């Protein structure tokens, strides 16, 4: 239980590698404690689902266009069948504005991400040193984590 009380080992590993794969007990609670410990250490946190993430770099750090879902019969006017593009703000943009505090992105349901998407998340942490990423990749009997790079190496 000391690990759950301090979270120091988790935080040091996250700071060292930049991106971690997390396997947590399915009953929950352990990951919430770790996230609370990161916030207490000065991290700014964002929790997102990995479902529907699309291009991680564009979705998280760049302003990007989003088309509304196709709802069947549409007018053939300006938008035609594909709809008009609506501009969406980056999900993490507000966390980087005016602060040097590190940012942690906690992705739920990370098992739906492909190897290429996981590799792009890992690359994103290397290009932006303030960004740290935790991806929940599944359940386990006990709380455990490993560097995301080693998960990708095992999958290859």
């Amino acid at each position: 239980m000391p690990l759950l009380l301090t979270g120091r080992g988790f935080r040091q590993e996250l700071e060292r590698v930049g991106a971690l794969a997390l396997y947590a007990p399915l009953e929950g609670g352990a990951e919430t404690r770790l996230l609370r410990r990161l916030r207490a250490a000065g991290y700014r946190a964002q929790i997102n689902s990995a479902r529907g993430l699309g291009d991680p770099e564009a979705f998280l750090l760049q302003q990007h266009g989003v088309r509304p879902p196709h709802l069947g019969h549409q007018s053939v006017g300006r938008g035609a069948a594909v709809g008009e593009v609506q501009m969406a703000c980056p999900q993490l943009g507000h966390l980087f504005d005016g602060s040097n505090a590190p940012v942690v992105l906690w992705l739920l349901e990370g098992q739906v991400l492909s190897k290429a998407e996981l590799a792009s998340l890992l690359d994103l942490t290397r290009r932006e040193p303030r960004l740290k990423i935790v991806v929940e990749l599944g359940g386990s009997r006990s709380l455990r984590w490993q560097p995301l790079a080693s998960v990708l190496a095992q999958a290859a």
Side-chain angles (χ1 to χ4, degrees), residues 22-144:
L22 183 76
Y23 301 91
L26 297 178
E27 61 268 9
E31 64 273 22
T32 308
R33 288 188 205 103
L34 288 175
L35 186 58
R36 194 171 61 236
R37 297 302 184 235
L38 286 174
R39 285 182 176 148
Y43 279 82
R44 301 174 82 183
Q46 173 83 21
I47 301 174
N48 273 359
S49 174
R51 295 186 187 275
L53 190 61
D55 178 18
E57 183 175 359
F59 184 76
L60 297 171
L61 298 175
Q62 300 170 357
Q63 187 171 5
H64 57 283
V66 176
R67 292 191 187 273
H70 190 276
L71 300 175
H73 294 285
Q74 304 266 330
S75 70
V76 291
R78 286 188 340 199
V82 294
E84 295 182 20
V85 176
Q86 301 168 355
M87 296 309 287
C89 293
Q91 289 290 310
L92 298 180
H94 68 282
L95 295 175
F96 287 115
D97 290 342
S99 175
N100 283 336
V103 173
V104 63
L105 172 66
W106 199 284
L107 287 176
L108 306 171
E109 302 173 321
Q111 65 271 13
V112 302
L113 296 173
S114 67
K115 286 184 262 184
E117 289 169 325
L118 290 173
S120 70
L121 287 171
L122 186 61
D123 185 49
L124 205 58
T125 61
R126 292 180 179 145
R127 282 187 279 140
E128 176 55 64
R130 292 182 294 169
L131 178 64
K132 309 297 180 200
I133 297 178
V134 178
V135 183
E136 290 187 16
L137 287 181
S140 177
R141 288 188 174 266
S142 62
L143 181 67
R144 62 185 179 89

